């Protein structure tokens, strides 16, 4: 009885019962969770703070959710940190967003290393400021042998650009005889995408109540379960992550067929 009452402490020191964690972990955990982290600006506005305060708070949520996902046995966590469209924001906000990976990794890289997290990115990082790229590359290098959670930051990422780029590479391979056009299928095409070494997301979460994909992983999300939640990203907690996973566990995934495919 005492064991059942053991509690999973969260960063805000709210408590989640071990029973709930146990029940979740007894069922298939989505191996790849992708998140559109939305609502930082509204979170700040509600508090009469500048938008960047919302992004800063959002960074703390990244830390919290990474730890929780790792602990729950999620294998890949892909986070939409900066889209190819985000350059249209005011320069001061873009500059701040560009500094966040550096700040995050500056503060938490030792913790990520200790927790066996492997950092990687997708997106065109060549446009990022030199210091940001250095911080990210350092983290990738420092964690490359880790085999726990893969923390995949989408940085300067846009799905249409990714697909167009894949088509260009694929066409060049066909033209130069490295690829026979009859061999082009889903799997072949997937290998030209930035996610080539990663399985498709099992679960997509979007915070803030918006119901759209915003040019995020359009190919990869073909059979992903979607979970939209009306909570702003800085307020998203371990409890909400568990709500999303429980919702996923109640669904029957058929991948277009009639019989529920065994989740592996
Ligand atoms: C969308 O909210 C959020 C972003 C464009 C940035 C997301 C970035 C973070 C959560 C921090 C990233 C941290 C690391 C470690 C890279 P919004 O600004 O569009 O919010 P709004 O819709 O309420 O205005």
């Amino acid at each position: 009885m005492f064991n059942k009452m053991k509690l999973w402490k969260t960063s805000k020191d709210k408590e989640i019962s071990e029973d709930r964690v146990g029940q979740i972990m007894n069922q298939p955990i989505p191996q790849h969770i992708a998140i559109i982290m939305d609502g930082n600006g509204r979170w700040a506005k509600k508090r009469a703070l500048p938008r960047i305060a919302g992004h800063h708070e959002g960074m703390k949520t990244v830390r919290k959710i990474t730890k929780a996902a790792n602990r729950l046995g999620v294998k890949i966590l892909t986070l939409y940190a900066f889209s190819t469209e985000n350059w249209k924001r005011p320069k001061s906000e873009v500059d701040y967003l560009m500094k966040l990976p550096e700040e995050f990794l500056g503060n938490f890289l030792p913790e990520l290393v200790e927790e066996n997290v492997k950092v990687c990115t997708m997106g065109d990082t060549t446009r990022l400021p030199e210091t940001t790229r250095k911080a990210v590359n350092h983290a990738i290098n420092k964690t490359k042998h880790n085999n726990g959670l893969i923390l995949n930051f989408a940085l300067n990422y846009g799905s249409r650009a990714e697909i167009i780029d894949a088509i260009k590479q694929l066409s060049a391979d066909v033209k130069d005889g490295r690829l026979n056009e009859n061999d082009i299928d889903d799997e072949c095409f997937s290998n030209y995408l930035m996610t080539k070494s990663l399985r498709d997301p099992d679960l997509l979460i979007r915070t803030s109540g918006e119901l759209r994909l915003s040019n995020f992983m359009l190919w990869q999300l073909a059979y992903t379960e979607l979970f939209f939640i009306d909570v702003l990203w800085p307020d998203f907690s371990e409890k909400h992550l568990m709500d999303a996973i429980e919702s996923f566990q109640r669904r029957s995934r058929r991948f277009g067929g009639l019989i529920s495919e065994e989740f592996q």
Side-chain angles (χ1 to χ4, degrees):
M1 183 64 185
F2 180 74
N3 271 350
K4 282 192 179 166
M5 295 298 291
K6 267 207 270 164
L7 301 166
W8 209 59
K9 289 225 162 131
T10 72
S11 53
K12 280 189 185 158
D13 242 8
K14 281 187 204 139
E15 291 159 340
I16 295 170
S17 88
E18 283 290 341
D19 264 2
R20 185 177 183 202
V21 177
Q23 270 164 25
I24 290 174
M25 291 180 79
N26 268 337
Q27 300 210 41
I29 296 286
Q31 294 191 26
H32 184 173
I33 299 183
I35 308 185
I36 302 178
M37 309 180 287
D38 196 10
N40 295 347
R42 276 162 282 172
W43 183 93
K45 194 172 176 198
K46 268 171 63 178
R47 289 160 180 78
L49 293 169
R51 291 177 58 80
I52 57 170
H55 295 314
H56 194 260
E57 201 61 26
M59 180 187 72
K60 295 188 199 162
T61 307
V62 169
R63 177 192 181 205
K64 188 169 69 182
I65 296 306
T66 301
K67 278 166 91 105
N70 197 14
R71 188 162 174 194
L72 288 167
V74 174
K75 298 276 184 274
I76 309 163
L77 181 66
T78 296
L79 301 177
Y80 206 6
F82 193 89
S83 77
T84 45
E85 288 70 36
N86 287 154
W87 295 107
K88 293 183 222 153
R89 295 187 176 206
K91 184 175 180 307
S92 57
E93 186 175 342
V94 169
D95 288 350
Y96 189 79
L97 283 169
M98 284 294 140
K99 287 206 184 95
L100 273 182
E102 204 181 327
E103 184 177 342
F104 175 78
L105 295 166
N107 288 330
F108 305 125
L109 184 57
E111 191 174 289
L112 297 176
V113 171
E114 193 184 308
E115 293 184 7
N116 199 21
V117 170
K118 181 175 175 154
V119 176
C120 67
T121 63
M122 64 178 190
D124 178 7
T125 50
T126 59
R127 237 192 115 180
L128 307 186
E130 175 77 22
T131 51
T132 311
R133 248 184 307 140
K134 268 196 180 155
V136 168
N137 288 336
H138 174 67
I140 292 173
N141 204 32
K142 204 83 192 144
T143 61
K144 67 179 176 215
H145 298 303
N146 288 356
N147 57 9
L149 176 85
I150 296 174
L151 177 59
N152 181 31
F153 285 110
L155 283 171
N156 191 23
Y157 172 84
S159 185
R160 288 185 172 181
E162 177 192 31
I163 290 170
I164 288 170
D165 205 45
I167 293 169
K168 284 183 184 161
Q169 289 176 46
L170 186 141
S171 318
D173 282 351
V174 170
K175 189 165 157 257
D176 298 342
R178 288 185 295 267
L179 177 68
N180 184 325
E181 66 175 289
N182 296 321
D183 292 334
I184 301 171
D185 58 10
D186 282 20
E187 197 189 332
C188 164
F189 187 72
S190 295
N191 283 327
Y192 284 85
L193 296 172
M194 292 168 180
T195 46
K196 58 175 169 279
S197 57
L198 306 175
R199 62 184 279 132
D200 288 342
D202 301 294
L203 174 65
L204 170 86
I205 300 171
R206 182 174 188 145
T207 59
S208 93
E210 305 294 349
L211 307 176
R212 54 178 174 266
L213 295 180
S214 302
N215 199 19
F216 187 53
M217 303 185 90
L218 302 178
W219 170 274
Q220 296 89 338
L221 294 176
Y223 286 104
T224 301
E225 297 297 327
L226 309 180
F227 184 84
F228 297 99
I229 181 167
D230 197 0
V231 168
L232 305 174
W233 175 249
D235 293 328
F236 189 78
S237 68
E238 294 90 340
K239 180 198 156 298
H240 298 121
L241 178 67
M242 290 187 196
D243 291 344
I245 295 177
E246 281 171 342
S247 167
F248 170 87
Q249 290 175 334
R250 286 192 295 271
R251 302 187 195 182
S252 131
R253 301 185 82 192
R254 293 189 293 277
F255 298 90
L258 290 176
I259 302 164
S260 178
E261 276 187 31
E262 195 47 49
F263 177 75
Q264 359 175 328

